[in-house]
Amino acid sequence: MSTDAPADPSRQPSTDPPNPPADQGESPLPTADAAYWEAAAASFDDEPDHGLRDPAVRAAWAARLRSWLPSAPAAVLDLGCGTGSLALLAAEQGHRVTGIDRSAGMIARARTKLAGRDAAFLVGDAAEPPVGERRFDVVLVRHLLWALPDPAAALRRWAGLLTPGGRLVLVEGRWGEAGPVGIPAAELSALVAPLAVRTQVESLAHDPALWGKAVADERYVLIADLPRRHTEVVDVHLVLRRGAEVLLARRAGTGYADGLLNVPSGHAEDGEDVREAMIREAAEETGLQLAPEDLRVALVMQHCAPPPARPRIGWFFEAAYGAGGEPWNREPDKCAELAWYPLDALPDDMVAYSRAGLDGLRAGHRFLLHWHRPGDAVAYDPSGPGRAVVLDGPGADGANGVTG
């Protein structure tokens, strides 16, 4: 599988074996940059456990995968999918597969390999998969997590992509002798423990059929089942006011609502309160260095994108222009532009719930519901049915100045 490294080259790991051999300590390791993986795509399947061309190796992985995945059909997200060999096995077992890899060459081969099957492949960052509001029954990852700069953050993000009771299937290891690389099972277990109700580690090193040869290093799969109880993501939204104007960001390259405007936003991480999350997200997206006293809670909204998305709790924070410095676009890969718009004449090409939140705030409301129904568009539709419901006074479905 192809390792998905961070966008910032200064944070990339210096070495990154897709599947290091047992004697890797005596030979140089491949680099982790994107050019390496593009060049490797043509020969990637030559490794026995990559291409699964040997019937015995293929059968060994198929048997393991069948025991790790739930009953078909399940929605499986294969991160760092490489050329799609495991995705093909999952599809053959009746699952619906979405594969993500940052190498366009790998993705092209995966699409060819699974042509005609219930599978889709996207070029993107596995640490931040471009799947929008979609949710999956399984997140499958092989030989990827150890190379990411913040494995704990990636695990939290992946857990948030699962349906209640969903499963993480993490194939990892620790390879080499002179200078071993990887993540030990005990370390990964500790990272996963706060997220899961049940974890299981299964050693894979003793089965040479999986690797096409005998291996002597640590190789394993960790299977983690998440809670079945209802949970909701908490997200935060920055309403930066410059007189009568508000700052909006145009989404790009995220896989959700790309091309539409919304206020700068993100979600709270484990251990963060909502104000801390807003300060962090504002810095990451706009470069603003806000202080707690710069923020005021303006509105709280429970919202849900069109099915099959899950509901979220959104906190809208107001801040005045000048607080924390001058805003600028720090994430051009996710944001096409930052621009100021009149709050009383907002554009129509907005994410519907973000538009509803700003309309509700302008109308003086503090608490809203905004739930899409099947068939609704993610974008605000001025002629469509209003989905905003006011909870702090009379009026619903577009009344009292609330649209969307």
Side-chain angles (χ1 to χ4, degrees):
M1 292 199 173
S2 168
T3 298
D4 234 296
D8 180 359
S10 67
R11 300 178 66 191
Q12 292 180 1
S14 60
T15 60
D16 189 7
N19 178 26
D23 61 352
Q24 190 72 71
E26 281 69 53
S27 60
L29 297 172
T31 61
D33 60 27
Y36 169 81
W37 291 111
E38 281 300 310
S43 60
F44 190 76
D45 280 349
D46 293 345
E47 288 291 326
D49 62 307
H50 291 170
L52 308 185
R53 292 166 174 165
D54 184 313
V57 175
R58 194 174 194 279
W61 279 102
R64 296 283 180 155
L65 204 61
R66 188 173 289 106
S67 70
W68 299 338
L69 301 181
S71 299
V76 177
L77 179 61
D78 185 355
L79 297 176
C81 65
T83 60
S85 294
L86 288 190
L88 178 57
L89 294 182
E92 289 176 343
Q93 293 174 13
H95 300 291
R96 304 181 304 275
V97 183
T98 300
I100 307 290
D101 200 283
R102 69 170 179 158
S103 165
M106 299 281 189
I107 289 296
R109 285 165 173 77
R111 287 171 177 159
T112 298
K113 194 177 291 186
L114 279 86
R117 297 189 179 274
D118 191 359
F121 294 92
L122 302 169
V123 176
D125 181 359
E128 290 285 343
V131 295
E133 296 293 314
R134 295 180 58 193
R135 292 297 177 265
F136 300 86
D137 301 307
V138 178
V139 169
L140 170 66
V141 186
R142 182 169 69 162
H143 299 166
L144 166 63
L145 184 66
W146 70 274
L148 299 180
D150 192 344
L155 286 167
R156 291 192 298 269
R157 172 64 178 141
W158 298 343
L161 296 175
L162 289 170
T163 57
R167 175 173 294 178
L168 294 171
V169 177
L170 309 171
V171 181
E172 287 291 338
R174 186 161 173 81
W175 309 277
E177 298 174 5
V181 295
I183 180 169
E187 182 180 337
L188 183 53
S189 296
L191 291 175
V192 170
L195 305 172
V197 293
R198 181 172 54 257
T199 61
Q200 171 188 343
V201 175
E202 180 181 328
S203 175
L204 305 177
H206 66 279
D207 188 353
L210 290 169
W211 317 108
K213 62 182 177 182
V215 298
D217 42 27
E218 182 181 13
R219 307 188 188 197
Y220 62 90
V221 62
L222 186 148
I223 299 170
D225 292 323
L226 271 63
R228 293 187 177 275
R229 64 180 180 272
H230 175 73
T231 60
E232 291 190 11
V233 172
V234 175
D235 49 33
V236 290
H237 307 260
L238 178 63
V239 183
L240 188 65
R241 305 285 294 269
R242 188 176 72 175
E245 297 178 314
V246 63
L247 185 69
L248 298 181
R250 191 172 300 279
R251 300 177 66 89
T254 68
Y256 174 73
D258 290 332
L260 299 178
L261 292 161
N262 60 194
V263 294
S265 59
H267 63 271
E269 302 286 359
D270 285 350
E272 279 185 325
D273 64 45
V274 290
R275 189 170 61 178
E276 291 170 339
M278 186 74 271
I279 290 171
R280 175 184 53 77
E281 288 287 351
E284 291 176 357
E285 295 190 15
T286 69
L288 295 177
Q289 301 299 313
L290 297 172
E293 57 269 21
D294 295 327
L295 296 171
R296 181 184 73 86
V297 176
L299 180 138
V300 177
M301 172 196 290
Q302 187 189 40
H303 62 95
C304 188
R310 295 170 61 193
R312 294 170 173 246
I313 301 292
W315 289 67
F316 287 70
F317 286 89
E318 276 192 324
Y321 174 67
E326 184 72 22
W328 58 286
N329 186 2
R330 288 200 64 200
E331 296 184 328
D333 58 324
K334 300 178 183 178
C335 174
E337 65 169 336
L338 290 176
W340 297 95
Y341 292 86
L343 184 58
D344 62 356
L346 292 169
D348 288 343
D349 57 337
M350 291 188 65
V351 177
Y353 77 82
S354 187
R355 170 67 184 256
L358 291 181
D359 284 341
L361 183 154
R362 184 167 57 86
H365 295 296
R366 300 294 300 276
F367 303 98
L368 294 178
L369 291 177
H370 189 277
W371 280 50
H372 284 281
R373 300 294 183 262
D376 284 354
V378 171
Y380 168 68
D381 181 359
S383 63
R387 298 304 187 194
V389 177
V390 175
L391 297 181
D392 57 347
D397 296 336
N400 286 350
V402 183
T403 61

